[in-house]
Amino acid sequence: MIIIDAHSHLWLKQDTVWNGKKISPLPNGRSMFLGEEVQMCPPFMIDGKNSAEVFLSNMDYAQVAAAVVTQEFIDGVQNDYYKTVNERFGDRLFCCGMPNFMERPSDFAADAITLMDEGFKAIAIPGHRIYLDGKRMPINGEQFMTMFKAMEKRGAVLSLCLEDSEQVAEFREVVQECPELKVAIGHFGMPTEPSWYDQVKLALNKNVMVESGGITWLYNSEFYPFPTAVKKIKEAADLVGMDKLMWGSDYPRTITAITYKMSYDFVLKTTEMSESGKKAFLGENAQRFYGFGELQIPKRVKNMSE
């Protein structure tokens, strides 16, 4: 089946500041993250680069046909690199632009419009990170609404992560004001948090989808085959329909604990979902929503250990 990853990340250098705290690369895939040394990437990424070429190699090995590459403030704004990735690998990698909301709080909508003029077909908002001077920016504020209306007019996709029920309520107003805006809610609406049902139910709106980027991280403690994650996928399908759900990996952070293939293999192997549901969740929905063209399934190559 065609498999598409609806939530991944790339960067050439992860060197930035979020909410006054430093994020910077360390050797062997590690980072200094908000005052703590963490294994940010797999240890074979020894130079601090999380490149498209390495990702495509992982995709080929795992037989993933295409991927959506979103952005996060903790990785630094990567627009220049993503432009290059779109130019070189746009048949398989769909990269989102990201305005610098915190550095340009009074005119970031203009930045978003410029990014779309430069060819970006999607804009990312890490809503759980949009803090200015320690206070979260309202996602239904004037600049955001200007940006959303411009995106709606152009048919651009919004890749969005939300933090809590208050922010969900703000975004519900956005959806009412911009009903044609195409939206992908990230991190599966955070199923470990109280706001989960509110986030998933946003997909009852005709142009809103939910993608599962990071769900293996949320249930890392129970590990493969992530039975609670499967349960939550089924529960979300009961709420909004399987046609509103998409698989995402949150590569590369999640593959410090598991392989890239394991980030979807638990869905492929479960007996709790139908074959048609698996096909929709793992690829068909994302292919339709993001407008991917004809895709090829990467050839499987036998492992040396087999």
Side-chain angles (χ1 to χ4, degrees):
M1 64 180 71
I2 292 292
I3 298 174
I4 297 174
D5 187 345
H7 189 121
S8 63
H9 300 275
L10 297 173
W11 60 79
L12 285 185
K13 188 174 183 180
Q14 188 190 46
D15 192 0
T16 189
V17 174
W18 176 74
N19 209 18
K21 297 180 180 179
K22 182 77 172 172
I23 301 104
S24 56
L26 297 171
N28 302 329
R30 300 170 187 170
S31 291
M32 183 56 62
F33 179 68
L34 310 180
E36 179 184 14
E37 183 177 354
V38 299
Q39 191 72 46
M40 182 68 67
C41 297
F44 58 76
M45 293 184 181
I46 60 174
D47 57 1
K49 293 181 180 179
N50 168 32
S51 70
E53 288 83 356
V54 172
F55 186 30
L56 286 163
S57 179
N58 274 280
M59 289 168 60
D60 287 345
Y61 178 75
Q63 295 184 280
V64 174
V68 178
V69 188
T70 189
Q71 292 203 51
E72 249 273 31
F73 284 124
I74 62 171
D75 302 330
V77 178
Q78 300 289 330
N79 293 326
D80 289 343
Y81 180 47
Y82 280 20
K83 288 176 193 175
T84 301
V85 173
N86 274 335
E87 290 168 1
R88 295 184 61 197
F89 308 113
D91 57 332
R92 296 184 68 188
L93 299 179
F94 182 101
C95 295
C96 304
M98 185 174 71
N100 202 329
F101 305 99
M102 291 174 288
E103 286 192 7
R104 296 171 61 91
S106 63
D107 59 357
F108 62 77
D111 286 352
I113 291 169
T114 297
L115 289 169
M116 289 186 284
D117 287 341
E118 292 174 349
F120 282 102
K121 297 179 181 178
I123 298 293
I125 300 180
H128 56 316
R129 307 269 189 211
I130 52 173
Y131 281 79
L132 183 65
D133 299 326
K135 184 178 180 180
R136 189 173 65 196
M137 302 167 67
I139 205 165
N140 57 350
E142 181 179 355
Q143 280 292 304
F144 280 110
M145 291 306 301
T146 299
M147 182 178 73
F148 294 144
K149 288 177 180 179
M151 292 177 65
E152 181 184 36
K153 185 176 181 179
R154 294 170 182 240
V157 177
L158 173 63
S159 174
L160 175 68
C161 295
L162 295 169
E163 186 171 29
D164 53 26
S165 292
E166 181 182 355
Q167 197 174 45
V168 173
E170 292 175 357
F171 193 71
R172 194 176 292 117
E173 294 182 13
V174 173
V175 175
Q176 292 171 354
E177 184 75 16
C178 304
E180 300 302 318
L181 178 64
K182 297 179 68 174
V183 186
I185 304 294
H187 295 160
F188 214 57
M190 293 299 291
T192 56
E193 297 297 325
S195 65
W196 183 61
Y197 289 101
D198 292 335
Q199 290 204 39
V200 170
K201 286 180 179 179
L202 287 171
L204 292 172
N205 295 281
K206 66 175 182 177
N207 289 307
V208 180
M209 304 283 284
V210 179
E211 46 90 344
S212 72
I215 199 168
T216 61
W217 154 64
L218 294 171
Y219 296 106
N220 181 64
S221 61
E222 73 178 22
F223 204 66
Y224 185 93
F226 306 106
T228 305
V230 173
K231 178 183 176 182
K232 289 296 184 180
I233 293 167
K234 292 181 62 184
E235 192 172 350
D238 288 340
L239 287 171
V240 299
M242 188 63 79
D243 63 324
K244 286 303 195 86
L245 309 178
M246 303 181 289
W247 168 67
S249 70
D250 210 4
Y251 173 101
R253 283 179 267 273
T254 48
I255 64 167
T256 58
I258 58 176
T259 68
Y260 184 47
K261 185 173 182 178
M262 288 169 72
S263 65
Y264 74 82
D265 194 59
F266 74 98
V267 174
L268 205 60
K269 298 287 178 60
T270 185
T271 59
E272 300 298 312
M273 294 171 61
S274 68
E275 286 303 303
S276 61
K278 292 176 185 179
K279 288 180 179 179
F281 180 71
L282 291 175
E284 288 177 350
N285 295 340
Q287 187 169 21
R288 179 187 69 252
F289 183 71
Y290 289 101
F292 283 104
E294 185 176 350
L295 294 169
Q296 300 297 318
I297 300 173
K299 176 185 175 182
R300 185 185 183 278
V301 176
K302 181 181 178 181
N303 287 329
M304 181 74 177
S305 57
E306 291 183 60

